Amino acid sequence: YREHTSPLTFARFSCEGMFCATSDTSGTLKVWAFSPEVKTVHSFVFKSGIFSVHWARKVDKLLFVGTGGSKIKLVNITSRKITHELVHPTSGLQIIALTTNLMCTHLVSSGQQPPQ
């Protein structure tokens, strides 16, 4: 898969295994299918780099995206819209890890200050 033009930051298969989400330092998020052939099914561009990606566990259409600027976005890949956005109270963090519990009722994140 060679559609990214900037260094990759994350790759994650969806829970049901139908899709893979990849992100890069320029803020590009690609959602692609790999069967029967590799092809991009959705592409999103954010204003800052993407540092973490986590699929919601219940369905293969909701994706949590951690960016620079202390933001976590919930993306619906079916409607191609950002449905929710959370902002960490500490400004300028890179959200480097995201996870949910099995029922997807709690979200935990980890952030770091960008290297100087």
Side-chain angles (χ1 to χ4, degrees):
Y1 188 77
R2 298 181 181 171
E3 289 191 21
H4 285 278
T5 57
S6 298
L8 289 179
T9 55
F10 227 86
R12 174 91 23 118
F13 279 100
S14 64
C15 297
E16 293 178 9
M18 296 179 62
F19 302 108
C20 185
T22 54
S23 62
D24 66 32
T25 57
S26 74
T28 301
L29 173 70
K30 302 273 186 177
V31 177
W32 49 279
F34 59 95
S35 179
E37 63 185 0
V38 175
K39 69 176 184 171
T40 300
V41 292
H42 301 293
S43 186
F44 303 88
V45 178
F46 296 94
K47 292 180 181 176
S48 63
I50 299 170
F51 298 95
S52 56
V53 174
H54 181 76
W55 289 92
R57 297 188 189 272
K58 294 183 179 182
V59 292
D60 274 0
K61 71 176 188 174
L62 298 175
L63 189 61
F64 292 99
V65 177
T67 69
S70 302
K71 294 181 182 175
I72 301 168
K73 300 170 188 258
L74 180 60
V75 178
N76 183 319
I77 65 166
T78 304
S79 67
R80 298 181 183 196
K81 293 183 179 180
I82 297 169
T83 61
H84 292 83
E85 181 176 284
L86 304 169
V87 180
H88 193 279
T90 304
S91 64
L93 288 180
Q94 296 171 338
I95 305 299
I96 58 169
L98 294 166
T99 192
T100 59
N101 63 339
L102 288 176
M103 297 301 295
C104 214
T105 56
H106 294 81
L107 172 70
V108 176
S109 66
S110 175
Q112 71 178 13
Q113 291 292 337
Q116 298 288 332

